[in-house]
Amino acid sequence: MRALLAVAFDLLREARSRKWFLGLFAAVSLTLLGLSLFLRLEVVDGALSASRLFGSLLSADAQPADVALRPVFLTVAFLGYVLGAVFLVVACADFAPGLLSPGRIEQLLSLPVARWQLLCGTYLGLLSLAALAGGYGALGVVVLFGVKTGVWEWRLLWSAAFGVECFAVLAAAMLATATVVRSAAVSAGAALVLFVLGAIASAQKPIGEAIETPALRTLFGLAVAPLPRLGTLCIFACQVLEDRALDGRAALRLSAGALVFAFALLAFAVHRFERKDF
Amino acid sequence: MRKRWWWLVVGLSLLAVGAWLSRGEPDEAPRQATVVMPRAMTEREAARAQERSTLPAPPPPPAAPAKAPEPPRDPVLAMLPPKVETVAVVMEVNAIKNSDLGPLIVDCLGNDDPGFDLMRDAGFDAFEQVDRLGIVDEQLFITGNFQSFTPERLGRLSPTVDYGPDAVLYDPLRADGGPTGMHFGMWRKQLMVGGKDLDAIKASLDRLRAGGGSEPGVLSADEAYGEVYGVLEKKAIQELFDDADPKVADLVERTASRVRLHADVSHDVGVVADVEGNSPQDTEDLRGALTSALSLARMQAQATGQTQAAEVLSNAKALALRKGDGRFRLEAGLPYALLKTQLEKCAARRKAERADAGDDD
């Protein structure tokens, strides 16, 4: 376990030295700072009487602050999920190929660390990075709107958790791909294809109904059955912000399904990594 | 070697477990009820208004310059006075009865009430023959089909008196034969108007005979939309806020001068109230105060676990119409599901009361 954590920590240290991640945290911080400086929300007794962004009046109609901000939080949750996943995939694409690069892999294998620990530690490091970025962004938005309007939407942290879970699946796909082809572009491409397939798997019911040939419909059902429902997780990330909207049991089940799929990919990656000669 | 294959077996097993966990669809999220708000006349309502325009307009004065004749009018709108002291509200009873909530409303009101049975004996079924019902200050009017209605069958009635070619007047009497103080007028067996002020009733019948008053009525043809529509004057508005927060009640008393009301009852209940104030600043203050009151009420409902009330209050809004015109629009919506539950309770309670009364008999 200690070896696993050491590998994960090593990845975080490497991430800190990269400008990409400084950029990521700077971008999140700048967005939050910009919002805090230029968003003028006039709140009186829990009612949002007017909102201005960069001096322009967004809305002059007074309405309860939490009702008025609901679309804002939903947009943040949706964009955070989709853009966050895509950005992290692109930013982290070369970690696994870098791990397997000639020279470095030999040095790592000479250490008293098992191969599976090396791979799983790298995966844990990637997840920690995503959790830090997601948590920082979500907490920033919660605090910003909380201070300005008195509406503390802590459920945004749950939305961020769904986003991190989505990245957990994509990161496993990137690691598995890297054990087959040592290319950052192919790793990122595979993760993005899985992201799209995950969205298609989420819409398998309407797509299946639209396929007229029964054999084709069955084939489509079988093909998408093991895929994680990444689109549905995105819907959950938004629904968690609305009262009574989330089907908790389904959210738990599909989240577990996505995580188990990620572990399956990780197992395939370890299998491939164990058999590889360096 | 065996260990290497072990990872593959684990991977395949996890894939199968993942597929099993990812099967099925999540439950459809309960959507936030979107209530239809009566903000303007629909095509169906315009056609309804056209059908009702049967009363010829009064002829122009002989000395007036020649111009195109005015179109016929809706008798109800023609009967309305140009000004009211408190309220002029029209309810489309037949439309409400035939709405999605109609049967439950009828059950809640109690179709088997002895009063309604008495009316049926006199040839008038209130649940079948009424088209509209309205209140104009102290006066009540009902439109519908009164062809089979024979008031004499109700007993205790003064002799009917003809009032012009199309109307009759009569007064109900007490059991001892004394006057009740109430007066009724019937116009062309289509419209009945009643109240304590005989002069007001006669004035209404006069306007009907003349095809409308010399001044436009308090409600225009353009405003006759929704299942409930009308106007509330300052006095009536104050009465509505009697039990509210004293600060809000005081602000309403100082600022609001008139409310034009429209309610859609076709499925959910959507209410739109255009509030006119004494001055633009006062109206804006009132809008802000009402919004805050709604927000606080909503937060209170949330804090006390009244989720349905909180949902209803989240649909309530005070919207600015045009900047500085001294008006704003208050919108509120009651979802069908909530009303259905309440009306079902009401109908069940009423049924139980009737059953108890039957047992006592």
Side-chain angles (χ1 to χ4, degrees):
Chain A
M1 190 63 187
R2 187 177 287 183
L4 207 70
L5 291 176
V7 175
F9 190 69
D10 195 48
L11 183 132
L12 288 178
R13 216 169 17 219
E14 189 185 335
R16 200 182 60 175
S17 66
R18 287 192 183 199
K19 285 180 183 171
W20 257 112
F21 292 97
L22 280 178
L24 168 67
F25 282 93
V28 174
S29 305
L30 278 174
T31 309
L32 294 173
L33 191 71
L35 277 175
S36 68
L37 288 176
F38 298 111
L39 185 63
R40 291 269 176 270
L41 300 168
E42 293 162 28
V43 179
V44 185
D45 292 338
L48 193 70
S49 60
S51 21
R52 288 172 194 276
L53 185 62
F54 298 110
S56 305
L57 195 66
L58 290 177
S59 164
D61 282 328
Q63 50 184 320
D66 58 334
V67 176
L69 290 175
R70 199 179 290 158
V72 177
F73 289 131
L74 284 175
T75 309
V76 168
F78 178 78
L79 291 180
Y81 184 94
V82 176
L83 297 182
V86 171
F87 184 86
L88 282 170
V89 162
V90 174
C92 299
D94 66 340
F95 270 111
L99 177 87
L100 300 167
S101 62
R104 182 153 182 230
I105 187 67
E106 287 83 355
Q107 184 252 325
L108 287 170
L109 289 176
S110 67
L111 299 171
V113 181
R115 288 191 177 200
W116 74 267
Q117 287 174 328
L118 208 57
L119 211 63
C120 293
T122 304
Y123 182 67
L124 201 63
L126 288 175
L127 286 198
S128 312
L129 205 63
L132 282 173
Y136 176 60
L139 198 66
V141 174
V142 172
V143 172
L144 171 68
F145 281 95
V147 169
K148 277 190 165 282
T149 66
V151 179
W152 296 84
E153 188 51 277
W154 293 108
R155 289 176 296 188
L156 261 181
L157 294 176
W158 280 110
S159 298
F162 279 112
V164 172
E165 191 191 359
C166 170
F167 178 72
V169 175
L170 302 181
M174 283 197 295
L175 276 178
T177 310
T179 57
V180 180
V181 185
R182 198 172 57 78
S183 157
V186 174
S187 284
L192 293 177
V193 166
L194 180 62
F195 194 41
V196 175
L197 289 176
I200 291 172
S202 304
Q204 62 176 280
K205 193 180 172 194
I207 295 174
E209 283 168 358
I211 299 172
E212 287 181 2
T213 318
L216 272 179
R217 197 184 309 139
T218 310
L219 205 64
F220 170 76
L222 286 172
V224 296
L227 293 173
R229 307 283 195 90
L230 298 182
T232 311
L233 290 185
C234 181
I235 294 170
F236 289 155
C238 297
Q239 283 182 342
V240 79
L241 298 169
E242 293 185 278
D243 302 328
R244 298 190 294 144
L246 186 72
D247 176 359
R249 193 173 286 183
L252 207 64
R253 184 167 50 78
L254 294 184
S255 295
L259 277 183
V260 169
F261 179 84
F263 294 149
L265 288 184
L266 205 59
F268 291 139
V270 173
H271 167 71
R272 176 81 191 161
F273 194 43
E274 293 273 5
R275 296 178 63 188
K276 220 172 169 81
D277 290 326
F278 294 99
Chain B
M1 189 69 183
R2 191 186 297 163
K3 200 177 172 187
R4 286 177 185 169
W5 286 108
W6 187 83
W7 283 107
L8 193 63
V9 173
V10 168
L12 286 171
S13 308
L14 286 175
L15 207 60
V17 174
W20 179 74
L21 284 169
S22 299
R23 79 202 185 286
E25 298 290 327
D27 287 346
E28 194 75 26
R31 292 179 186 281
Q32 182 92 358
T34 45
V35 178
V36 175
M37 294 293 171
R39 299 187 184 105
M41 188 179 269
T42 62
E43 279 183 28
R44 187 177 52 83
E45 287 163 337
R48 181 180 74 183
Q50 188 69 34
E51 275 175 28
R52 284 172 173 170
S53 300
T54 53
L55 188 69
K67 58 177 184 179
E70 283 190 48
R73 297 170 179 184
D74 178 346
V76 166
L77 300 179
M79 183 199 71
L80 295 177
K83 280 179 189 165
V84 288
E85 291 287 315
T86 53
V87 67
V89 172
V90 180
M91 278 177 272
E92 298 281 347
V93 174
N94 191 40
I96 294 171
K97 196 197 83 185
N98 289 305
S99 70
D100 293 346
L101 291 167
L104 285 169
I105 294 173
V106 170
D107 287 348
C108 180
L109 287 173
N111 196 6
D112 51 356
D113 190 276
F116 292 126
D117 286 341
L118 203 66
M119 292 293 282
R120 277 190 203 100
D121 291 343
F124 182 74
D125 187 338
F127 287 90
E128 295 299 328
Q129 289 166 257
V130 173
D131 184 34
R132 279 180 282 182
L133 186 148
I135 298 166
V136 182
D137 288 337
E138 303 289 315
Q139 222 176 89
L140 179 91
F141 69 84
I142 302 170
T143 69
N145 180 3
F146 293 92
Q147 294 298 332
S148 57
F149 181 46
T150 317
E152 290 80 6
R153 281 200 217 153
L154 290 170
R156 300 202 296 269
L157 206 69
S158 68
T160 55
V161 178
D162 286 343
Y163 187 75
D166 297 320
V168 288
L169 292 169
Y170 58 90
D171 302 337
L173 301 173
R174 287 203 312 258
D176 60 5
T180 57
M182 291 293 290
H183 310 278
F184 284 93
M186 174 79 80
W187 180 80
R188 290 185 185 173
K189 293 251 174 191
Q190 289 177 21
L191 191 151
M192 196 198 308
V193 54
K196 288 184 176 173
D197 187 345
L198 184 60
D199 290 338
I201 291 170
K202 285 179 176 174
S204 295
L205 294 174
D206 288 343
R207 279 190 290 273
L208 278 169
R209 185 168 51 194
S214 52
E215 290 178 66
V218 70
L219 288 175
S220 71
D222 298 340
E223 291 174 309
Y225 61 87
E227 276 72 47
V228 180
Y229 45 88
V231 59
L232 277 73
E233 294 294 339
K234 196 176 181 76
K235 207 170 155 187
I237 303 167
Q238 283 169 7
E239 281 171 14
L240 280 178
F241 283 84
D242 270 353
D243 299 328
D245 180 342
K247 280 184 189 167
V248 176
D250 180 54
L251 192 63
V252 167
E253 190 182 338
R254 278 191 292 111
T255 55
S257 61
R258 181 176 294 150
V259 172
R260 291 190 180 275
L261 184 82
H262 294 275
D264 182 299
V265 193
S266 54
H267 180 67
D268 313 281
V269 173
V271 181
V272 172
D274 288 336
V275 182
E276 295 171 20
N278 296 328
S279 75
Q281 187 54 50
D282 283 351
T283 314
E284 196 51 32
D285 290 347
L286 180 61
R287 186 171 79 88
L290 285 175
T291 303
S292 295
L294 286 170
S295 298
L296 290 174
R298 183 170 170 275
M299 281 189 266
Q300 212 164 17
Q302 273 179 329
T304 52
Q306 299 171 55
T307 47
Q308 281 188 323
E311 191 183 329
V312 169
L313 286 163
S314 71
N315 281 330
K317 294 174 203 153
L319 306 158
L321 290 172
R322 229 169 290 144
K323 195 86 180 164
D325 72 347
R327 291 189 308 145
F328 69 90
R329 176 166 286 177
L330 202 62
E331 290 188 354
L334 293 166
Y336 172 79
L338 172 70
L339 289 164
K340 185 169 174 277
T341 311
Q342 297 303 322
L343 284 169
E344 278 171 348
K345 280 183 194 167
C346 167
R349 201 168 47 238
R350 177 133 199 124
K351 201 174 170 184
E353 280 170 9
R354 294 289 304 146
D356 286 349
D359 289 347
D360 291 345
D361 293 344

